[in-house]
Amino acid sequence: MRMSLTRSKRRTAPTDAIDTTESTTRAAAGSRPRRPLRGAALLLAAALAGSLALAACGDDDSSDEPAAATATTFPAGSTMAKLQAAGTITVGTKFDQPLFGLKNLRGEPEGFDVEIAKIITDALGIPADKVKFVETVSANREPFIEQHRVDLVVATYTINDKRKQVVDFAGPYYVAGQTLMVRAGETAITGKDTLAGKKVCSVSGSTPAERIRTEAPDAELTLFDVYSKCAEALKAGQVDAVTTDNAILLGLMNSDPGAFKLVGEPFSTEPYGIGLAKGDDQFRAFINDTLTAAYTDGRYEAAYKDTIGKVEPDMPTPPVVDRYTS
Amino acid sequence: MDAVLDNLDIFREGFIQTLRLSLFAAVAALILGTALAAMRVSPVPPLRWAGTAYVETVRNTPLTIVFFFVVFVLPQVDIVFSYFTFAVMALTIYHTALVCEAVRSGVNGVDAGQAEAARALGLTFSQTLRLVVLPQAFRNVVQPLGSVGSALIRNTSIAAAFGVQELTGISQRLTTANPGDVIAVLLAGIVCYLVLTLSLAWAVGLTERRLTRTPR
């Protein structure tokens, strides 16, 4: 891990412009990042020189670009223009997060994260079948972005300052929060203040497990290694509540319709953002613009209704995107 | 290192849980395993078949699956205990099969003439087993039983994934809380396991020396 990180850091400057097809094949083969080929490096240099020349001419409209499928044109040399020209994009998402990013039986990922990613790739003029989804688990999201194995990460990715040191975030597009899930017939538990003496389940060593110790010190904590076991224990009456991010709880509810419900106000804030390469402010602004537009023109609502809305019909107000300056 | 020193009380809690799990399961598995071995060498075919079926089924099932069955299937038929009790049950079910095979190998190691002589004296099967064969068998299998016990101690870590906060569980918890001290926390966990397994190895060695010194 450390090795590859340092290696990728050394290559930060040149990889900035590695064409996406290379990162796509690399991700597809699942191989470790190789040293850039000399040919690729030459191509890069040429591309960089070309884009510099264009920029120097002040030719921002790039009217001499080959006509893309859509009418939208992007500033020459920008990530958007490169992706549009390549006609393909690699997006990292989770494959095991029901309702957000889950690989279905046909082998295609589906969920809210996937829909959000499609809104963005669609705005880039890339057809849906040219969007390549690769699995990013929590631990490899930053390395994958840094190594340019993915162009975007939409994977229940909480924006925080530590991560902002190595990657940039567009969004947030959804705000999750730690909350409680109980059996559908439960009336005694209405929030974290009604947990005294109750058995609460979470995952051993997780952040929500530690938070509930301070939020509800009088609750009895039962810990498993995965949340699905908590749901099973809740159903069997072995525990009285399950606690973690509502995003995960909604996924558990979806896999067992009618058995559970969420109670109480969320007691943490997890703004989910879209991860991209550090310093690509142009691309970040584009994604933020796309999200903001999608909030009002119904695309966001449609994405919500098709996924999370099936379990939690009340759509929350879309969060205001954070156009921070790094 | 501070993460360990500041949380010694939490470590002690986990250590005690692991020790309790090991002790309860070891005693239960030793008793049941010996009974099962007796079944497998008994002259009654149905008992032998039942014993063989149990051993072959349980011994060839991953312990995690045994845990899963106990913790999540039993409640569905309204058998509900605490997660600690469930963990002891799962560990016992699994290690009973291993103890049985160790004891049975000891029985097979006892000269056939011993059993024949006992029968010639008019002892019943259970008397033969209890007074003549098993005492000699146990002397043969002190080390194998020690290995089963050592495996049992290490296998208690699976309980961490099934609702019991023992050494592995609290190590996971402390590594999350102290991301800067992960190595120290894990090393401390390993040391705790070593204390348990090496103490057992020492006790086994001592027992074996004592038994072999006894004149035949």
Side-chain angles (χ1 to χ4, degrees):
Chain A
M1 171 76 98
R2 170 137 314 165
M3 272 278 292
S4 60
L5 269 179
T6 38
R7 245 198 285 155
S8 74
K9 244 174 215 151
R10 231 189 314 125
R11 291 195 286 114
T12 302
T15 46
D16 231 351
I18 276 195
D19 68 323
T20 39
T21 42
E22 198 205 335
S23 58
T24 310
T25 45
R26 209 192 270 158
S31 59
R32 299 185 56 78
R34 281 168 288 123
R35 216 169 292 192
L37 298 168
R38 176 160 301 173
L42 282 174
L43 270 176
L44 285 181
L48 274 176
S51 57
L52 278 177
L54 280 176
C57 296
D59 186 5
D60 268 351
D61 290 329
S62 65
S63 45
D64 52 359
E65 282 268 330
T70 63
T72 328
T73 48
F74 298 108
S78 66
T79 308
M80 293 84 81
K82 274 179 234 158
L83 290 171
Q84 192 182 37
T88 169
I89 185 168
T90 310
V91 179
T93 192
K94 295 220 172 144
F95 282 1
D96 61 352
Q97 181 76 73
L99 292 185
F100 284 80
L102 181 75
K103 206 165 184 169
N104 65 22
L105 292 175
R106 289 187 307 281
E108 304 151 351
E110 59 183 20
F112 189 58
D113 283 346
V114 174
E115 292 306 315
I116 292 289
K118 282 178 182 164
I119 289 175
I120 292 153
T121 56
D122 191 48
L124 285 166
I126 299 171
D129 60 332
K130 295 288 184 200
V131 181
K132 184 170 173 51
F133 284 99
V134 298
E135 182 174 22
T136 47
V137 298
S138 295
N140 71 12
R141 289 178 297 200
E142 289 90 25
F144 268 36
I145 294 172
E146 288 183 288
Q147 296 162 7
H148 291 263
R149 283 168 169 239
V150 294
D151 300 297
L152 290 175
V153 166
V154 196
T156 58
Y157 200 3
T158 298
I159 302 174
N160 68 34
D161 290 342
K162 244 164 137 181
R163 288 170 180 164
K164 271 189 197 169
Q165 287 171 11
V166 283
V167 300
D168 267 333
F169 286 102
Y173 59 89
Y174 184 82
V175 180
Q178 185 173 351
T179 183
L180 297 169
M181 181 174 86
V182 295
R183 284 180 291 274
E186 176 74 53
T187 49
I189 299 173
T190 53
K192 67 182 168 73
D193 301 323
T194 53
L195 284 177
K198 300 285 185 186
K199 287 185 186 159
V200 183
C201 190
S202 195
V203 161
S204 194
S206 67
T207 315
E210 292 308 309
R211 195 189 299 271
I212 198 69
R213 281 180 211 275
T214 50
E215 297 283 349
D218 296 326
E220 191 188 320
L221 200 52
T222 300
L223 300 173
F224 289 104
D225 56 342
V226 288
Y227 289 109
S228 53
K229 285 184 187 165
C230 279
E232 195 59 45
L234 179 63
K235 211 172 153 192
Q238 296 268 83
V239 298
D240 305 305
V242 179
T243 186
T244 180
D245 286 1
N246 51 7
I248 297 169
L249 295 177
L250 288 169
L252 292 173
M253 285 167 70
N254 183 45
S255 58
D256 205 342
F260 311 120
K261 63 177 180 184
L262 299 186
V263 290
E265 288 297 309
F267 41 92
S268 78
T269 311
E270 311 285 341
Y272 289 169
I274 297 169
L276 67 152
K278 176 101 182 137
D280 197 345
D281 292 346
Q282 227 177 358
F283 193 28
R284 181 154 58 98
F286 166 78
I287 299 171
N288 280 331
D289 291 343
T290 308
L291 281 177
T292 313
Y295 288 169
T296 48
D297 64 15
R299 279 179 288 166
Y300 181 88
E301 197 182 347
Y304 185 91
K305 285 224 165 102
D306 283 350
T307 54
I308 310 173
K310 287 180 183 165
V311 180
E312 192 77 355
D314 298 334
M315 190 181 85
T317 319
V320 178
V321 297
D322 177 14
R323 297 174 188 269
Y324 65 91
T325 47
S326 47
Chain B
M1 203 56 213
D2 288 348
V4 178
L5 298 177
D6 293 348
N7 295 301
L8 278 181
D9 52 330
I10 299 180
F11 257 109
R12 195 177 59 229
E13 228 172 82
F15 184 83
I16 290 172
Q17 274 306 52
T18 295
L19 188 63
R20 287 176 66 216
L21 279 176
S22 306
L23 282 179
F24 284 128
V27 171
L30 195 61
I31 296 168
L32 295 174
T34 307
L36 198 62
M39 278 169 70
R40 290 203 69 177
V41 298
S42 78
V44 188
L47 284 184
R48 285 207 305 271
W49 298 333
T52 309
Y54 180 92
V55 168
E56 293 307 330
T57 312
V58 172
R59 195 176 54 166
N60 293 304
T61 306
L63 180 52
T64 315
I65 307 282
V66 176
F67 258 97
F68 207 94
F69 186 85
V70 169
V71 174
F72 292 113
V73 178
L74 291 188
Q76 294 191 4
V77 288
D78 284 331
I79 303 175
V80 177
F81 294 107
S82 71
Y83 285 114
F84 180 84
T85 312
F86 272 147
V88 171
M89 284 168 69
L91 288 166
T92 303
I93 288 170
Y94 186 76
H95 289 89
T96 289
L98 302 187
V99 168
C100 166
E101 290 306 271
V103 172
R104 199 166 66 95
S105 76
V107 170
N108 289 338
V110 175
D111 195 90
Q114 296 281 328
E116 283 161 11
R119 216 163 35 241
L121 286 172
L123 298 188
T124 63
F125 169 74
S126 82
Q127 281 172 324
T128 307
L129 205 61
R130 208 156 29 89
L131 302 172
V132 179
V133 178
L134 275 183
Q136 298 184 71
F138 269 114
R139 192 168 58 191
N140 292 340
V141 295
V142 174
Q143 279 297 351
L145 281 180
S147 302
V148 172
S150 171
L152 168 62
I153 290 172
R154 284 171 280 133
N155 283 340
T156 55
S157 59
I158 293 179
F162 291 90
V164 181
Q165 282 291 285
E166 39 61 84
L167 265 175
T168 302
I170 63 114
S171 300
Q172 282 169 350
R173 183 183 151 195
L174 290 178
T175 51
T176 312
N178 308 279
D181 252 350
V182 172
I183 307 273
V185 169
L186 292 182
L187 279 179
I190 292 172
V191 169
C192 290
Y193 278 110
L194 280 179
V195 167
L196 290 171
T197 49
L198 291 180
S199 314
L200 176 72
W202 174 78
V204 165
L206 196 72
T207 314
E208 194 173 44
R209 272 199 304 281
R210 286 219 164 164
L211 288 180
T212 42
R213 227 185 286 138
T214 320
R216 274 176 185 256

